[in-house]
């Protein structure tokens, strides 16, 4: 009888990469997910596995494999617990999380069939990023699969230095909270190029110049305002944050930059596995 073959040299199958899309309302998360879904279907043999975690969305431009709306009726939750819109979304997400073990089982079963798993999160960013259920979902997925956070930025709305700084501070807080590889995705580059943002991230003086030239940067006596001084200081603090950050510009409308996004995902996956 032949001896059983040794399995010591056999590598385990490559697990799919998980991309958690997070961003402010209106940044274009769902459209971005639709675009990367289309890109993967056209350019890869394996289609992505998509989860919609927004219970309040009326329509998504893609067909999710798992949809929170199939499990929880958002409007019924609001009515039953006498909640407002945000409370309804949060409670719906909490109820969905009670069945997370079943969701993870489904993801594990399909893991050998896909290369990418995409999570589309609620438009109310704080409901996912700062809630217990959001943390549970993120930690559970990240413990099972190589996971990357894609923070979607509305590029045209970020041209003002104060708005840019607000976005960067929020991105920084999410990165350090999740402790996962992080990609800044400047969306809507068909409307406005993201070159200004890259320059501000790479050159502190360029951001200072833009800040000084922006209206309201000085008070009636010609001195820098408190907010101006604060943003100057914060830009120095964020300089270290920028050094460990990948940033890409994409257009969810035209598809520009999607390949570069997935190149960044692969690089981030390497960081995760280290």
């Amino acid at each position: 009888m032949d001896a059983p073959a040794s399995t010591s040299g056999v590598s385990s199958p490559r697990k799919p990469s998980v991309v958690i899309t997070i961003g402010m309302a209106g940044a274009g998360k769902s459209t971005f997910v639709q675009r990367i879904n289309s890109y993967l279907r056209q350019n890869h043999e394996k289609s992505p596995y998509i989860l919609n975690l927004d219970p309040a969305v009326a329509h998504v431009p893609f067909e999710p494999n798992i949809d929170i709306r199939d499990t929880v009726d958002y409007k019924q939750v609001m009515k039953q617990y006498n909640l407002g819109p945000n409370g309804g979304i949060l409670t719906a997400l909490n109820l969905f999380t009670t069945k997370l073990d079943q969701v993870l089982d489904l993801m594990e079963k399909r893991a050998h069939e896909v290369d990418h798993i995409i999570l589309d999160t609620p438009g109310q960013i704080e409901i996912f990023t700062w809630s217990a259920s959001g943390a549970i979902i993120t930690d559970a997925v990240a413990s099972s699969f190589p996971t990357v956070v894609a923070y979607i930025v509305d590029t045209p709305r970020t041209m003002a230095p104060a708005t840019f700084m607000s976005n960067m501070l929020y991105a920084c807080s999410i990165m350090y909270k999740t402790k996962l590889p992080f990609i800044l995705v400047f969306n809507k580059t068909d409307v406005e190029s993201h070159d200004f943002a890259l320059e501000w991230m790479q050159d502190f003086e360029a951001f200072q110049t833009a800040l000084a030239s922006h209206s309201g940067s000085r008070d009636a006596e010609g001195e820098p305002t408190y907010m101006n001084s604060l943003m100057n200081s914060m830009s120095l603090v964020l300089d270290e944050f920028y050094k460990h950050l990948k940033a890409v510009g994409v257009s969810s409308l035209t598809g520009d930059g999607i390949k570069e996004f997935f190149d960044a995902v692969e690089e981030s996956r390497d960081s995760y596995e280290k």
Side-chain angles (χ1 to χ4, degrees), residues 121-140:
T121 60
Q124 287 73 12
I125 185 171
E126 69 283 354
I127 289 177
F128 185 82
T129 55
W130 297 107
S131 67
S133 51
I136 290 169
I137 292 171
T138 301
D139 292 345

Side-chain angles (χ1 to χ4, degrees), residues 167-180:
N167 255 303
M168 294 304 102
L169 288 171
Y170 215 115
C172 180
S173 67
I174 293 171
M175 187 181 82
Y176 286 112
K177 185 175 188 298
T178 61
K179 297 180 177 63
L180 291 172

Side-chain angles (χ1 to χ4, degrees), residues 29-105:
K29 291 184 299 300
S30 295
T31 310
F32 174 72
V33 171
Q34 186 276 332
R35 175 56 67 179
I36 61 177
N37 175 38
S38 175
Y39 174 86
L40 290 173
R41 288 178 181 273
Q42 291 174 6
N43 296 280
H44 290 72
E45 293 181 3
K46 297 179 180 180
S47 299
Y49 196 73
I50 303 178
L51 287 75
N52 171 46
L53 300 180
D54 190 346
V57 66
H59 168 74
V60 288
F62 51 84
E63 187 175 341
N65 299 89
I66 296 178
D67 195 333
I68 187 174
R69 296 174 300 174
D70 295 336
T71 305
V72 184
D73 187 328
Y74 160 72
K75 291 184 178 179
Q76 189 61 36
V77 167
M78 287 177 61
K79 183 178 179 180
Q80 181 176 348
Y81 295 101
N82 194 27
L83 299 169
N86 287 343
I89 295 173
L90 180 59
T91 303
L93 202 59
N94 290 341
L95 293 171
F96 179 79
T97 305
T98 63
K99 300 184 179 181
L100 187 59
D101 57 331
Q102 299 174 36
V103 174
L104 291 172
D105 284 344

